[in-house]
Amino acid sequence: MVEFLRIHRVEIATLTLEHVWLVAASMGIAVLIGVPAGILLTRKPRLREPVIGGANIIETIPSLALFGFLLPAPWLGARADRIAITALALYALLPIVRNTYVGITGVDPGVREAARGMGLTSRQMLWQVELPLSMSVILAGIRTATVLSIGIATIAAAIGAGGLGEFIFRGLAMVNDSLILAGAIPAAILALAADLGLGWLEARLRPPRT
Amino acid sequence: MGEPAIAFRGVTYRAQGRVLLGPLDLEVRPWETLVLLGRSGSGKTTALKLINRLLEESEGAVLVNGRPTREWDVITLRRHIGYVIQETGLFPHYSVERNVGLIPRLLGKPEPEIRERVDSMLRLVDLDPQEFRRRYPHQLSGGQRQRVGVARALAGDPEILLMDEPFGALDPLSRAEVQRQFLEVQKRVRKTTVLVTHDVGEALLLANRIALLEGGKLLGIYSLPEFLESSDKTVAAYRAAWSGNLQFPGDDCHGGIP
């Protein structure tokens, strides 16, 4: 095992970085789309069913199939990492949109009423009351989505997008457990680290209860 | 007498086709404390929320300083009116200082002025600024939170103060203390105050006049002596409930619990 690590250490590091890049880029996109979408749903409740429903449907598509569907897409299909990042971002949308919506609508009605009664504008309400008070719930969604993405990103190797899945697919093809573990263990460590780190942040941002 | 500070003119409020309040005609005089007294569902909170347009009347008009609230810019209207609710609605993620300084800050006042204002408001409600400025709402007792709620509502120097069962969530001792303290505040900064309660004792302690609501209708407006002497059945029932509360076991109950 030690020998294996010594031989493959550069490759493990490279593929781990690729993996982190795929997840980070997709999460960045998912947050930029998902959080505003979640906020929009709190303003236009009629959109809630179709948007959450749509995100739910995306979640049911098997990941390998979703990668496949995106292959013929113009621009996206030209590079495997673009496809992988798009697919991962799509998967991450549901937990982020849903938690943003749930977090904001879950803000104490008394606090909300007092804020409205004192003359906060809708924008001030969002920035000063709703987002700070729902940040921990939104982060919980981002945390779920990140851990999920780290797992799914291993499959992106199937379309040549790189990442730790390379080891796993190679190990499967060669029936080599060490190779499979060389992909699986760093992926698991990444997932655990993301879970712990974001969990810590989530706890710190949780508003105090009165 | 001059123009009323607040006036309800033929106001009806309907929700899902049902009339919840009205038709209501009522005037609040400048600088008085008018208590809206009634049981749950009597429409008193609805009436209160029509004043700062958290609700909008279905018919008629609510006038603030002689001008229909619908004609006001809603944000300006609300900043012109202090608002205190039962659980105070303090922002849990803001310190006492930021909570109390919220409105002056929204109004764009300079920082030194805000700081001074926060301190003077805290002193007004008998809280030592040094001790309380940096605390968070969860580090305060119920009574202290309520006082911070009052300080926050007054910080923008509104002409009108609306209070929705402000002391309802407090234990009896804290409640009596905060009520007394509020009377002191009122003597020092006179505001036109509309206070909603179902507690007759509170109404008699704090009100200049009492407006009695029942089933969305106004039964009458009474000065304190009128309320204490009225032969109206409902007023008498409220009085009996109140004086009943003051009786001790062994007292001669008037047809009360055996």
Side-chain angles (χ1 to χ4, degrees):
Chain A
M1 191 69 190
V2 176
E3 183 62 13
F4 179 90
L5 282 177
R6 202 179 59 77
I7 298 169
H8 289 91
R9 65 178 196 280
V10 175
E11 202 179 359
I12 291 175
T14 311
L15 292 179
T16 304
L17 280 178
E18 273 181 23
H19 205 88
V20 169
W21 156 245
L22 289 179
V23 173
S26 58
M27 289 310 300
I29 294 169
V31 168
L32 285 178
I33 298 172
V35 173
I39 294 168
L40 183 72
L41 296 193
T42 64
R43 279 16 184 197
K44 310 229 179 286
R46 273 185 194 183
L47 294 176
R48 193 174 69 100
E49 290 295 319
V51 171
I52 301 267
N56 252 322
I57 289 171
I58 294 173
E59 215 77 356
T60 62
I61 305 173
S63 46
L64 207 50
L66 186 56
F67 289 132
F69 287 144
L70 293 172
L71 269 175
W75 189 78
L76 276 184
R79 276 179 56 177
D81 59 346
R82 285 183 196 158
I83 297 178
I85 289 168
T86 309
L88 292 174
L90 285 171
Y91 280 122
L93 277 180
L94 178 68
I96 296 176
V97 174
R98 193 180 47 201
N99 276 43
T100 304
Y101 175 80
V102 169
I104 290 180
T105 50
V107 168
D108 179 355
V111 172
R112 194 187 287 276
E113 190 192 312
R116 277 186 69 212
M118 286 187 302
L120 266 72
T121 61
S122 183
R123 181 177 294 227
Q124 287 162 342
M125 179 91 121
L126 180 68
W127 288 102
Q128 301 199 23
V129 180
E130 292 175 321
L131 282 179
L133 290 179
S134 58
M135 199 43 83
S136 72
V137 181
I138 296 174
L139 251 161
I142 296 175
R143 180 181 169 196
T144 309
T146 307
V147 174
L148 196 81
S149 295
I150 292 172
I152 299 174
T154 55
I155 300 169
I159 54 158
L164 290 162
E166 291 272 333
F167 276 131
I168 299 176
F169 280 103
R170 218 185 302 157
L172 283 172
M174 296 165 68
V175 200
N176 180 338
D177 285 351
S178 295
L179 273 176
I180 296 178
L181 287 175
I185 291 174
I189 293 172
L190 277 183
L192 272 174
D195 193 42
L196 286 174
L198 290 170
W200 174 81
L201 203 59
E202 186 190 318
R204 287 215 43 180
L205 291 173
R206 196 169 296 141
R209 298 224 156 265
T210 49
Chain B
M1 190 165 304
E3 185 181 69
I6 303 162
F8 288 76
R9 303 259 189 255
V11 170
T12 304
Y13 177 75
R14 252 186 238 106
Q16 280 135 23
R18 268 184 59 220
V19 175
L20 298 185
L21 179 74
L24 177 65
D25 285 281
L26 175 71
E27 291 188 349
V28 186
R29 300 168 186 159
W31 321 127
E32 77 166 334
T33 297
L34 179 82
V35 167
L36 301 178
L37 180 68
R39 53 178 113 196
S40 306
S42 61
K44 54 193 192 299
T45 294
T46 305
L48 193 80
K49 288 182 177 174
L50 288 169
I51 300 171
N52 62 358
R53 252 176 79 184
L54 285 177
L55 297 174
E56 292 196 351
E57 64 277 9
S58 312
E59 280 158 34
V62 180
L63 281 69
V64 169
N65 291 349
R67 193 166 151 218
T69 52
R70 280 178 186 276
E71 288 178 14
W72 284 76
D73 167 62
V74 71
I75 301 298
T76 312
L77 175 77
R78 288 176 185 162
R79 289 187 187 164
H80 184 78
I81 296 176
Y83 188 48
V84 186
I85 58 175
Q86 182 166 339
E87 289 290 350
T88 73
L90 290 182
F91 296 176
H93 57 306
Y94 275 15
S95 63
V96 165
E97 178 179 20
R98 280 189 79 191
N99 264 294
V100 177
L102 183 74
I103 297 295
R105 207 160 265 129
L106 289 178
L107 293 172
K109 303 270 188 234
E111 277 305 313
E113 195 179 314
I114 294 171
R115 206 179 151 78
E116 209 171 289
R117 185 78 187 152
V118 168
D119 285 1
S120 77
M121 286 300 106
L122 288 177
R123 278 193 290 270
L124 180 71
V125 295
D126 214 9
L127 293 173
D128 176 13
Q130 291 291 343
E131 190 185 342
F132 287 95
R133 205 189 286 131
R134 287 180 210 294
R135 289 207 199 169
Y136 282 81
H138 71 279
Q139 298 166 320
L140 304 174
S141 71
Q144 288 165 345
R145 274 206 292 275
Q146 214 55 40
R147 291 193 216 173
V148 174
V150 172
R152 180 173 71 171
L154 293 173
D157 199 19
E159 285 175 28
I160 294 170
L161 191 59
L162 303 181
M163 307 179 88
D164 191 357
E165 310 238 13
F167 313 124
L170 301 177
D171 63 85
L173 284 180
S174 314
R175 187 174 182 150
E177 191 187 308
V178 181
Q179 284 170 339
R180 260 198 309 276
Q181 214 269 321
F182 179 68
L183 277 176
E184 286 300 311
V185 171
Q186 267 191 318
K187 277 184 208 151
R188 288 163 62 186
V189 284
R190 293 189 63 200
K191 304 282 175 195
T192 304
T193 306
V194 183
L195 186 143
V196 161
T197 186
H198 57 251
D199 180 339
V200 188
E202 184 163 284
L204 289 169
L205 181 67
L206 303 178
N208 297 116
R209 292 190 304 152
I210 296 173
L212 191 58
L213 289 159
E214 180 98 354
K217 298 259 188 293
L218 178 68
L219 290 187
I221 304 176
Y222 309 89
S223 67
L224 297 189
E226 284 166 357
F227 189 86
L228 290 171
E229 285 157 21
S230 169
S231 56
D232 180 274
K233 257 177 28 196
T234 314
V235 176
Y238 270 99
R239 266 198 323 257
W242 173 60
S243 57
N245 280 340
L246 293 181
Q247 284 187 339
F248 294 96
D251 279 5
D252 182 21
C253 296
H254 306 288
I257 305 159

